[in-house]
Amino acid sequence: MPAIEVSNLRKRYGKGVLAVDGVSFGIDDGEIFGLLGPNGAGKTTIIKVMTTLLTATEGRVTIFGNERPRNDYEIRNLIGYVPQDVSSDAALTGYENLLISAKLYGRGGKDARRVSEDVLRQLSLWDAKDRVAKTYSGGMIRKLEIGQAMVHDPKILFLDEPTIGLDPVARKQVWAFIRELKERTKMTVIITTHYMEEADHLCDRIAIMSIGKIATIGTPAELKASVSQGAIILGVKGTPPLIPNSRQENGSLVIPATNPARELPGYIDLLRANGCEILSANIRETTLEDAFVKYAGTRIEEMDQWSSVRKMRRVARRMA
Amino acid sequence: MMNIKNEVRNVLTIIELEARRLRHDYTDIAVRAIQPIVWLLVFGTVFSKNRVIDTGGYSYLSFVAPGILAQAVLFVAIFFGIMLVWDRDSGNLAKLLVAPASRFSLVIGKCFSASVRAIAQAVVVISLILMLSLFVTDISLSNNPVYILLTLPVVVLIAAVAASISILFATIFRTRERVMGFGQLLTLPLFFTSSALYPIEIMPWYLQWMAKVNPLTYGVDLLRGLMLTGDLSNALLDVGVLLGFLAVMSLACTALFRRMME
């Protein structure tokens, strides 16, 4: 059974904007699925609909066969959700945060204490368990939040921008933690992000969103292959032989290539055999960003709105 | 499917959350204890000395003490909706809403979370009033410890009712500034049209009418009966009105609660 099926989902806020405009996709049990898109593309809205926080204007959403909104109660028992904004209670200790979450998911007093302690050990937060969460670093808070979302062993974990506002070191730690968690529990993970590197690094499959619609879905490799912006850039002295699709750019020879690193030696040999001298050699790999630009139709920075920038900085400040 | 036992546990867990928050930071309670004492010692003393208001056989200071307690409780709870908006703006509320708990138990849990703060506040204020009554001859309150202890469940009820009003504002207005504004707008009318500062009988007829639909009047009546007069003949009516008001408000909050996430 697929973990999630979404068909023709539409969500309109009040009488205003259509945030999600007819989206359909399925997510298999056990995969890490990424929703990638610029701010305002509708990623968070889709997550909120799947996690029972919002009701769809139109369309059908099922989680392991449970239909929204009829089976919301069953769905809530199956999912864990870590919102984009800091959701741990800053005034409570790490242990207390976990304890309250465990109780909210129906665990009794003794059981709740045991689960909280287990999770603290798994998160390597045991030494900090009696410190209030506001003294935690950004990475520690994210781990605590993920732990809180997992006290009931959910089958699906939703992470909305899991590394927003984190420094590069903390970001790598959170990535490693998510992957380790996924290996151990075999659960399905759904991530929204607007960091290309994050999506490339973590996700089995990615849906690229653009203004309320899904532009394309595929594995990171498939998406990159579908754009193929890779190239070999050579500084050459002498007259090169005719190479199909090659061009001169700023005094360099540019040769499009699907796999530039592997094709480079062949071209060097060819040029040398034709009496050319190689002055410099560079390669340009296709990145997920190239795929993003093609499908979302814009570079991510250009889409940033003032409100979302402010929000992101606020999160960053609170987590610092 | 959901069941009663789970829902009761959810309510208790949300109350526990507030109690733990309070345990880590209670400066708020200490600072807020100053205002009721100012009311009592400055406002109360002036009115008492001049015998402006006919308060039956009791000194004005004794008459107003339960009213001041009610006010302290009202002020703690009437801005509780702002905390809910704050919880929404951080991810705290989302975390509660994805848990398998009904919206109704969330609302009830949040109403009685205000009661947790109110009880802490009331214990401080009552202690201060009792201490003052040892030194100030104009304050003489009930010396029945059972009655004094019984004020605490009344405080719980008044706080929950005030919080339910505030939460309703939060679900309707949804921003901190507006909930704050409407809280301010409502606090003084609620306070002044209740029997906190003067007996209902001396008000003009239209204010008497407002006092009768003001839930705080019934709370003050209970507190005054317990702390001062010992007259509890209206207790059932008072408790009934407060509970009824809480039920209606919390159902309205439940119906509107999903607006918080839109």
Side-chain angles (χ1 to χ4, degrees):
Chain A
M1 188 192 288
I4 296 176
E5 280 176 294
V6 173
S7 60
N8 280 316
L9 174 68
R10 292 159 82 89
K11 174 66 190 176
R12 188 187 292 279
Y13 287 103
K15 290 185 178 124
V17 275
L18 196 59
V20 177
D21 183 10
V23 160
S24 302
F25 60 91
I27 298 174
D28 292 329
D29 193 5
E31 72 176 332
I32 301 189
F33 187 86
L35 279 167
L36 186 63
N39 295 312
K43 307 177 302 261
T44 297
T45 302
I46 291 184
I47 289 264
K48 282 186 175 166
V49 171
M50 291 193 285
T51 53
T52 78
L53 289 172
L54 286 178
T55 305
T57 311
E58 245 175 78
R60 204 177 121 98
V61 177
T62 55
I63 312 278
F64 282 110
N66 296 288
E67 199 169 329
R68 281 224 60 212
R70 191 155 45 90
N71 304 113
D72 276 1
Y73 193 80
E74 286 77 9
I75 291 173
R76 289 184 189 136
N77 275 308
L78 288 172
I79 62 169
Y81 170 51
V82 181
Q84 186 171 331
D85 299 299
V86 179
S87 66
S88 288
D89 201 306
L92 264 52
T93 66
Y95 174 71
E96 287 175 320
N97 267 301
L98 283 162
L99 195 67
I100 295 289
S101 288
K103 287 184 180 179
L104 277 175
Y105 281 96
R107 294 189 183 266
K110 206 173 168 185
D111 198 22
R113 284 194 290 277
R114 187 185 54 74
V115 171
S116 306
E117 285 171 10
D118 285 354
V119 173
L120 281 165
R121 285 199 194 89
Q122 283 165 22
L123 300 175
S124 333
L125 288 176
W126 182 256
D127 293 333
K129 74 183 168 71
D130 294 322
R131 271 164 51 193
V132 288
K134 68 179 128 199
T135 67
Y136 282 20
S137 70
M140 287 164 84
I141 289 196
R142 263 303 184 233
K143 283 209 288 188
L144 177 62
E145 290 179 277
I146 295 171
Q148 282 181 261
M150 299 213 28
V151 286
H152 56 303
D153 298 322
K155 294 182 79 172
I156 307 177
L157 183 64
F158 292 90
L159 303 170
D160 195 356
E161 299 278 1
T163 64
I164 197 165
L166 293 185
D167 64 60
V169 177
R171 174 168 298 151
K172 293 237 160 70
Q173 283 172 356
V174 170
W175 287 350
F177 175 66
I178 292 171
R179 272 205 302 201
E180 189 253 332
L181 199 68
K182 159 82 175 63
E183 289 305 311
R184 199 176 64 232
T185 60
K186 307 285 177 222
M187 67 183 165
T188 309
V189 181
I190 290 132
I191 290 177
T192 75
T193 184
H194 65 266
Y195 295 121
M196 302 297 142
E197 205 192 342
E198 181 161 291
D200 201 0
H201 192 83
L202 281 176
C203 299
D204 299 320
R205 278 196 313 144
I206 293 168
I208 295 182
M209 291 200 63
S210 172
I211 10 178
K213 289 190 154 96
I214 288 183
T216 185
I217 295 187
T219 65
E222 283 167 1
L223 294 179
K224 282 187 262 187
S226 73
V227 283
S228 184
Q229 294 281 318
I232 294 164
I233 302 143
L234 297 170
V236 180
K237 197 170 155 189
T239 312
L242 190 68
I243 300 169
N245 294 325
S246 69
R247 60 185 188 273
Q248 288 287 334
E249 216 173 78
N250 301 328
S252 299
L253 178 68
V254 179
I255 309 162
T258 326
N259 199 334
R262 199 166 299 164
E263 293 171 41
L264 176 65
Y267 282 112
I268 291 178
D269 290 346
L270 176 72
L271 286 164
R272 284 195 174 141
N274 281 276
C276 295
E277 191 185 335
I278 310 284
L279 303 172
S280 68
N282 274 302
I283 55 167
R284 209 179 83 81
E285 296 273 8
T286 310
T287 63
L288 202 53
E289 187 158 354
D290 297 318
F292 186 87
V293 172
K294 178 177 170 190
Y295 293 108
T298 168
R299 289 178 66 86
I300 218 153
E301 295 85 11
E302 288 162 11
M303 278 297 288
D304 267 345
Q305 299 140 351
W306 182 77
S307 63
S308 55
V309 170
R310 191 182 63 156
K311 187 170 185 180
M312 192 171 137
R313 297 235 171 112
R314 202 179 66 213
V315 172
R317 203 166 51 231
R318 228 184 297 151
M319 297 189 89
Chain B
M1 278 311 290
M2 59 185 84
N3 61 53
I4 303 279
K5 202 179 134 204
N6 277 345
E7 296 305 328
V8 171
R9 183 172 44 211
N10 289 330
V11 170
L12 291 176
T13 304
I14 292 165
I15 296 171
E16 180 184 342
L17 170 66
E18 195 60 35
R20 287 181 182 273
R21 278 179 174 175
L22 182 63
R23 196 167 62 105
H24 285 290
D25 187 3
Y26 44 80
T27 44
D28 179 44
I29 298 295
V31 173
R32 280 171 188 270
I34 296 166
Q35 203 184 359
I37 297 310
V38 173
W39 269 96
L40 200 63
L41 287 184
V42 180
F43 181 86
T45 307
V46 173
F47 272 61
S48 200
K49 283 280 181 294
N50 291 296
R51 305 191 189 285
V52 196
I53 293 167
D54 177 17
T55 47
Y58 305 100
S59 75
Y60 184 72
L61 271 175
S62 309
F63 176 86
V64 84
I68 299 294
L69 174 63
Q71 183 218 33
V73 170
L74 175 70
F75 278 22
V76 169
I78 199 72
F79 295 113
F80 206 74
I82 298 172
M83 278 174 80
L84 203 64
V85 177
W86 184 263
D87 278 355
R88 193 267 322 268
D89 289 346
S90 72
N92 273 321
L93 189 63
K95 195 184 56 189
L96 288 183
L97 288 172
V98 293
S102 75
R103 298 317 183 231
F104 184 68
S105 17
L106 287 184
V107 169
I108 291 290
K110 283 295 176 190
C111 288
F112 284 102
S113 294
S115 305
V116 171
R117 283 186 177 269
I119 284 214
Q121 187 72 73
V123 167
V124 175
V125 173
I126 292 172
S127 311
L128 287 171
I129 291 176
L130 289 177
M131 270 199 291
L132 279 174
S133 69
L134 297 178
F135 302 106
V136 183
T137 48
D138 263 3
I139 310 178
S140 56
L141 295 176
S142 163
N143 48 19
N144 185 337
V146 177
Y147 273 24
I148 296 294
L149 277 178
L150 276 176
T151 57
L152 293 181
V154 177
V155 163
V156 166
L157 207 50
I158 296 174
V161 167
S164 71
I165 299 171
S166 189
I167 291 170
L168 189 68
F169 281 170
T171 61
I172 294 171
F173 301 117
R174 296 188 284 186
T175 69
R176 239 170 290 160
E177 293 78 4
R178 281 189 243 163
V179 177
M180 181 74 146
F182 278 88
Q184 299 275 22
L185 196 69
L186 200 68
T187 314
L188 289 183
L190 269 180
F191 184 44
F192 288 136
T193 64
S194 76
S195 55
L197 293 177
Y198 23 73
I200 299 181
E201 296 76 43
I202 70 161
M203 297 183 189
W205 63 270
Y206 53 91
L207 285 183
Q208 289 201 17
W209 185 81
M210 280 180 77
K212 292 227 164 80
V213 296
N214 180 351
L216 195 63
T217 300
Y218 301 89
V220 172
D221 191 51
L222 276 170
L223 289 179
R224 193 164 281 138
L226 289 165
M227 291 172 74
L228 185 65
T229 62
D231 173 15
L232 295 175
S233 53
N234 287 330
L236 273 181
L237 171 73
D238 293 338
V239 172
V241 170
L242 289 172
L243 281 176
F245 200 87
L246 178 61
V248 171
M249 292 302 276
S250 51
L251 285 173
C253 291
T254 308
L256 292 174
F257 210 71
R258 64 179 176 82
R259 282 173 51 92
M260 289 294 286
M261 296 311 289
E262 295 267 336

